[in-house]
Amino acid sequence: MTKTIDPVFSSEVLRAPELACDSLDIDTIAQSLHGLKGEVDKNPQTAAIILAGGTGERFGKEGGKQLVEIAGKPILTWSAEAFDAVGDIGLIVIVCPEDRCDEYLKRAIDPFPFVTPVVVAPSGPSRQESAFSGLEFVPDDYEYVILHDGARPLVSEAVITEAVTTAAEYGAAAPVVPVKDSIKRIEDGNIAADVARNTLAAVQTPQVFRKDLLRRALTSAAERGYSFTDDCAAVESLGTIVKATHGSYQNIKITTPEDILVAEALLTREDK
């Protein structure tokens, strides 16, 4: 039986809670996201895999959330455009339901002026299997791979670039943000203890790895019957340290309809 591993309990990536995050500047956020322009370096070393195969069950919309529009574009389009703007990324792989690949391209990719080549890969029944499917579409000449949640449309070029640069030095990197809320440990429905907030952080995507390291981690997890819900956790299970980089509080994951309101407020601020 496959054992699902939840990084809330098993991940060791959150080892740099001292990383400071800049205050939220809504005007700068809107300007940076609207002003993205595609580019590809002469010899790019990185491929981006955008995981967009979720059913959107918590979102409450049949067919999922990836094609829901925010400020005139599908959520997936905003996510992909951020990677299109990073020169070292030479390929974008969209992992989505096999029976909807053409629909995703037609609605989220083809109508927009992407410079970076975009291909689609079929998603699997779990995040881990979807990640491996996307990896199979990355040619051998790419040394690094990014894994990103398609439902994080507000990711910035700066967050991506820092994670890529750090992974190039250490082999694995992921952005984190300090936890804001007080955290309690619960036992039998009761508050058992406080957990020191300054020792915790929330991990985000994009997570960046050497391609050979990621392939080894996903293969090993499958052979051991594990299904990790976080890509870093799979890599950490090999004993590899994942370096923490600066995340952003704006880099929210669209999970419920309320999150759409927050994202729209950020993206439309520029027009007010």
Side-chain angles (χ1 to χ4, degrees):
M1 178 181 294
T2 299
K3 181 180 180 182
T4 298
I5 308 298
D6 190 328
V8 170
F9 299 100
S10 66
S11 179
E12 295 182 352
V13 68
L14 309 180
R15 291 183 171 179
E18 71 278 5
L19 288 178
C21 293
D22 295 335
S23 58
L24 196 63
D25 184 336
I26 293 179
D27 290 324
T28 299
I29 290 169
Q31 291 168 7
S32 65
L33 293 174
H34 280 283
L36 293 175
K37 294 182 179 180
E39 64 171 291
V40 179
D41 294 343
K42 185 176 181 180
N43 295 301
Q45 296 296 305
T46 306
I49 298 173
I50 300 179
L51 300 170
T55 61
E57 181 177 350
R58 285 176 292 177
F59 189 74
K61 180 178 176 62
E62 185 177 354
K65 58 204 169 188
Q66 303 292 344
L67 299 181
V68 172
E69 290 197 359
I70 301 177
K73 297 178 186 177
I75 290 172
L76 179 59
T77 304
W78 287 106
S79 299
E81 284 182 338
F83 296 94
D84 187 41
V86 178
D88 189 55
I89 296 173
L91 177 68
I92 298 172
V93 181
I94 307 292
V95 182
C96 59
E98 187 170 12
D99 61 348
R100 300 185 67 194
C101 286
D102 289 341
E103 179 188 4
Y104 274 53
L105 286 176
K106 183 177 180 179
R107 294 179 57 185
I109 302 300
D110 293 344
F112 303 95
F114 283 91
V115 174
T116 310
V118 179
V119 299
V120 292
S123 57
S126 70
R127 179 189 181 88
Q128 184 171 290
E129 290 168 282
S130 292
F132 198 89
S133 176
L135 191 59
E136 291 294 282
F137 282 72
V138 177
D140 292 339
D141 48 345
Y142 287 98
E143 189 172 357
Y144 301 97
V145 173
I146 296 169
L147 290 172
H148 182 65
D149 298 321
R152 290 187 187 269
L154 305 184
V155 63
S156 69
E157 184 179 354
V159 167
I160 297 170
T161 300
E162 182 180 350
V164 169
T165 301
T166 303
E169 182 175 358
Y170 296 101
V176 303
V177 291
V179 172
K180 294 180 179 181
D181 296 327
S182 295
I183 305 297
K184 306 289 186 179
R185 191 176 78 246
I186 306 299
E187 294 180 1
D188 299 323
N190 301 314
I191 295 177
D194 291 317
V195 179
R197 187 168 54 189
N198 63 357
T199 66
L200 301 174
V203 67
Q204 301 179 332
T205 66
Q207 300 178 3
V208 190
F209 311 98
R210 281 198 333 267
K211 186 176 66 176
D212 62 326
L213 172 63
L214 179 62
R215 182 179 293 278
R216 186 156 47 93
L218 296 178
T219 300
S220 174
E223 290 174 347
R224 290 178 291 159
Y226 291 153
S227 180
F228 291 98
T229 61
D230 173 73
D231 310 304
C232 284
V235 171
E236 290 165 18
S237 72
L238 297 179
T240 300
I241 297 297
V242 179
K243 299 296 287 188
T245 60
H246 290 86
S248 170
Y249 290 118
Q250 84 179 57
N251 187 20
I252 64 172
K253 185 175 182 180
I254 305 295
T255 303
T256 66
E258 290 77 13
D259 297 327
I260 291 286
L261 300 177
V262 177
E264 284 185 331
L266 292 171
L267 289 169
T268 58
R269 174 74 178 187
E270 183 184 56
D271 299 326
K272 295 183 178 181

